[in-house]
Amino acid sequence: MTLSLYSDESYMREALKQARYALAEDEIPIGAVVVLERQIIARAYNQTEKLNDVTAHAEMLALTAAANFLGNKYLTDCTLYVTVEPCVMCAGASAWAQMRRVVYGAPEEKHGFRRHGNLLHRRTELVTGIMAAESAGLMQEFFARKRK
């Protein structure tokens, strides 16, 4: 299968790279990238342990980096790619940022925002299941290590 340089899968591969950084640092392996006009403007991974901050989720760090890059809190023309379904906090932040699109890989049954209805901005397009198996695999690997 050949991927376009600008496909959802290619951006999700970049988010997966970020998730692998988290895994290497013994963080929950979730990665995120923010894309504007086919350019990645922000990359992040979970750093809650490293920063001792419960809000240091990949999505939150990526949204902050993207807003700083643009000099604007609104990300209306941006797409957030994240390996796992965002939690309520991260979905809410993407709503406040007015993201154009949110794309995630694996669903998160326990803490995913969709359990609570649609928390995204009313104009945000939601795409799910992109590279879900790879994203779920990293989560399974992390929690298997923790159970040992």
Side-chain angles (χ1 to χ4, degrees), residues 47-112:
Q47 296 183 46
T48 60
E49 300 298 326
K50 179 180 182 178
L51 299 177
N52 198 29
D53 179 355
V54 297
T55 69
H57 292 194
E59 302 95 308
M60 300 295 285
L61 297 172
L63 293 176
T64 298
N68 288 336
F69 177 85
L70 295 174
N72 190 344
K73 64 184 177 181
Y74 297 113
L75 305 174
T76 55
D77 295 323
C78 296
T79 299
L80 171 66
Y81 290 87
V82 60
T83 56
V84 175
E85 178 182 349
C87 70
V88 171
M89 173 183 67
C90 295
S94 73
W96 284 109
Q98 300 179 16
M99 299 297 300
R100 184 174 64 84
R101 294 175 75 222
V102 171
V103 178
Y104 72 77
E108 215 307 336
E109 301 299 325
K110 291 182 183 177
H111 302 290

Side-chain angles (χ1 to χ4, degrees), residues 5 13 23-24 26 32 46 67 72 85 95 102 105 108 111 113 117 136-137:
L5 180 60
R13 285 191 199 290
L23 184 64
D26 203 30
N46 273 3
N72 190 344
E85 178 182 349
V102 171
E108 215 307 336
H111 302 290
F113 81 91

